[in-house]
Amino acid sequence: MPDPSWQAMQQAQQAQQIHQNHVRHHRAAHDMARAHARHTGAPHTHRPVPHTGARGGGLRGLLVLIVLVGVVVYVAHDPELRTAVGNFARDLLAHVQST
């Protein structure tokens, strides 16, 4: 049986990858809408806000990493929670892949 902490870390990385793909898709759709608006002469609907991820977050990124590690360690020690998180991650991945 695989190490529970390794399994939890894999699930956390998988969830992060799903989120990053979602953000990438959202940004692409937003950029496409913005490009379309430029061609049609539509006015700006909002001021652009810089998108910074956890990598460029400095202290915020460190805090996110600490919380993520804490959650992974906590999930790794509780078998029932580990099973629930694993099922949730698999369901979420299946849902994202089906859309």
Side-chain angles (χ1 to χ4, degrees):
M1 179 161 173
D3 180 26
S5 61
W6 177 85
Q7 202 172 20
M9 183 64 81
Q10 290 296 108
Q11 291 168 349
Q13 288 174 345
Q14 192 176 35
Q16 184 180 22
Q17 200 171 29
I18 291 168
H19 173 72
Q20 287 172 345
N21 288 339
H22 173 78
V23 169
R24 193 175 303 117
H25 176 74
H26 177 79
R27 286 185 184 158
H30 183 75
D31 290 344
M32 190 181 309
R34 203 171 46 208
H36 178 72
R38 249 186 260 127
H39 292 299
T40 60
H44 291 288
T45 55
H46 68 279
R47 287 190 331 197
V49 177
H51 296 283
T52 55
R55 292 182 186 198
L59 185 59
R60 183 174 155 253
L62 179 63
L63 181 62
V64 168
L65 178 64
I66 290 170
V67 169
L68 182 64
V69 168
V71 167
V72 167
V73 168
Y74 182 75
V75 167
H77 287 297
D78 186 347
E80 188 176 320
L81 185 59
R82 187 172 54 237
T83 302
V85 168
N87 290 339
F88 174 76
R90 277 189 287 282
D91 292 346
L92 183 61
L93 180 63
H95 177 73
V96 168
Q97 288 177 343
S98 70
T99 56

